[in-house]
Amino acid sequence: MRRGRAEPGGLRGEPPPRWARIAPAAALVALVLAQALTTDVELGFFLAGLPPVAAFAYGAAGTAIFAAVVLLLLGVHDIGVAQARGTDLATVAVVGLLSVVIAWVRQRRDEQLVSVRTVAEAAQLAVLPPVPERVGEVRCSGLYRAAQRGTLVGGDLYDVRVGPFGVRALVADVQGHGLAAVATVAALLGAFREAVLDDAELAAVAVRLDRRLLADAADAHVDHPELFATAVLVEFPPGLDLVRFVSCGHPPALRLRGAEVDEVTVEPGPPLGLGLAGPDPPKVVELPVRPGDQFLLHTDGATEARDAAGHFYPLATRVPVLARDPVGLVGAVWKDLAAFTNGGPGDDVALLLLSPDGRP
């Protein structure tokens, strides 16, 4: 699953950009050269402002060296940069010392931030780990983008698991997005992973997920009286060339068959969390699977994304073209979606491509 570590919103700390490290030294050289070429105006005292700038790009030791160089240039008159004396040099020295303190504090805070972000990333990846390239007899390719900047998990989720009843997949979109929805995401994933092992019928898996949300809603705080989620469940039973679908108010999956792309028609039931365990269980639809068939499951973050003119992203229309992209379908869809929305949609996006090829 492509997480996009180098993209904006990644959790890992990064060093200052190269230009930020070069700028103070370049400014110092430029001021010294300018002073050497100018005799009417004294420019050397502008050097006193460089140590505080260096503190934002260098550590305490680097800033101390930078401040010492500035003091040397200002204090040694034979160099010809400035004629600082007495209190002027003391002032520059104090500024340099404060810059070193600022650099030390900034460096400590950066280290703490990296540590906190590393722990946060590990926790989020534990909730929603990358999908394997193959699960049982099904090849998988997934992509997830959280809407909330700086997070890896939001309100969408997917998972693919193999069990005694075949390979099963889940794609869901819970109420809300961002970190507030992570608890619901974790609860649904835990219930799904248990159901893959225990429940013989795909409809029973949906019922189990529904009961999980109902129980969580009963224990929720007053300001969160309802929990619900749309979801689509997929099952590839062992030894059978067919696929089963259950939809709980979720956007329909797309079936790719050669150059043709069509929506998988499933009678949608109510979203999870609204009492599926009643007298009308969710409907299960079976479809034959031919060699080369692929199934693209997605959340509404993709299909409800809009461009500057307010048009929805035409996922089903774009898939036949993007399927030829060498980077892979899910990566090509995200790149195309980001270009369509001029930077990416404002909602969580999950894409899961399942390709049953019969080879374990």
Side-chain angles (χ1 to χ4, degrees):
M1 179 170 58
R2 300 169 180 84
R3 292 285 189 174
R5 294 291 193 275
E7 296 182 0
L11 298 185
R12 293 289 186 183
E14 295 181 356
R18 181 174 298 179
W19 66 264
R21 300 177 65 85
I22 295 175
L28 185 146
V29 173
L31 285 172
V32 171
L33 292 177
Q35 183 63 72
L37 299 174
T38 304
T39 58
D40 298 335
V41 181
E42 188 168 320
L43 302 175
F45 284 102
F46 284 105
L47 294 172
L50 295 182
V53 176
F56 291 97
Y58 295 91
T63 304
I65 294 173
F66 203 94
V69 172
V70 169
L71 275 175
L72 180 66
L73 292 173
L74 295 178
V76 179
H77 300 162
D78 293 340
I79 299 178
V81 176
Q83 302 296 320
R85 300 179 185 276
T87 57
D88 293 334
L89 283 176
T91 301
V92 175
V94 170
V95 170
L97 180 61
L98 291 176
S99 300
V100 172
V101 173
I102 291 172
W104 180 79
V105 172
R106 180 195 61 79
Q107 193 172 25
R108 287 290 303 274
R109 289 178 62 88
D110 286 351
E111 292 172 355
Q112 293 173 354
L113 182 60
V114 169
S115 177
V116 170
R117 286 180 169 177
T118 301
V119 172
E121 180 174 336
Q124 293 182 63
L125 288 176
V127 173
L128 192 63
V131 65
E133 293 184 358
R134 174 177 291 276
V135 178
E137 299 180 354
V138 178
R139 289 181 290 114
C140 310
S141 178
L143 182 144
Y144 188 95
R145 292 292 183 272
Q148 184 170 334
R149 184 179 178 85
T151 62
L152 297 178
V153 181
D156 291 357
L157 63 105
Y158 59 70
D159 200 7
V160 186
R161 299 279 163 164
V162 63
F165 311 107
V167 176
R168 287 171 171 173
L170 165 70
V171 173
D173 183 357
V174 309
Q175 175 193 21
H177 58 79
L179 293 176
V182 173
T184 307
V185 169
L188 282 176
L189 287 172
F192 171 72
R193 290 161 186 170
E194 291 180 359
V196 167
L197 300 175
D198 298 336
D199 294 326
E201 300 296 331
L202 190 60
V205 178
V207 171
R208 182 190 289 254
L209 300 181
D210 180 67
R211 286 165 45 202
R212 175 72 272 167
L213 289 190
L214 287 173
D216 288 350
D219 296 334
H221 297 295
V222 177
D223 56 344
H224 295 289
E226 294 182 355
L227 293 175
F228 64 88
T230 65
V232 60
L233 290 159
V234 183
E235 178 183 88
F236 298 95
L240 300 177
D241 294 328
L242 59 86
V243 58
R244 298 187 177 111
F245 284 88
V246 168
S247 176
C248 303
H250 199 79
L254 299 178
R255 180 176 61 186
L256 290 70
R257 177 171 287 173
E260 298 180 359
V261 175
D262 57 344
E263 292 186 349
V264 177
T265 303
V266 182
E267 183 180 347
L272 301 173
L274 302 182
L276 284 174
D280 296 321
K283 301 295 188 296
V284 179
V285 171
E286 291 187 356
L287 298 176
V289 174
R290 299 178 184 175
D293 281 359
Q294 295 179 297
F295 299 91
L296 179 63
L297 284 63
H298 59 89
T299 57
D300 60 10
T303 53
E304 294 184 0
R306 298 172 183 258
D307 62 8
H311 300 125
F312 290 111
Y313 179 67
L315 178 62
T317 304
R318 296 295 299 156
V319 162
V321 178
L322 299 173
R324 299 192 292 267
D325 196 306
V327 304
L329 179 59
V330 293
V333 169
W334 172 254
K335 185 169 62 175
D336 190 57
L337 180 60
F340 181 83
T341 57
N342 192 25
D347 196 3
D348 302 324
V349 174
L351 302 170
L352 180 61
L353 182 67
L354 303 175
S355 307
D357 60 10
R359 297 195 308 272

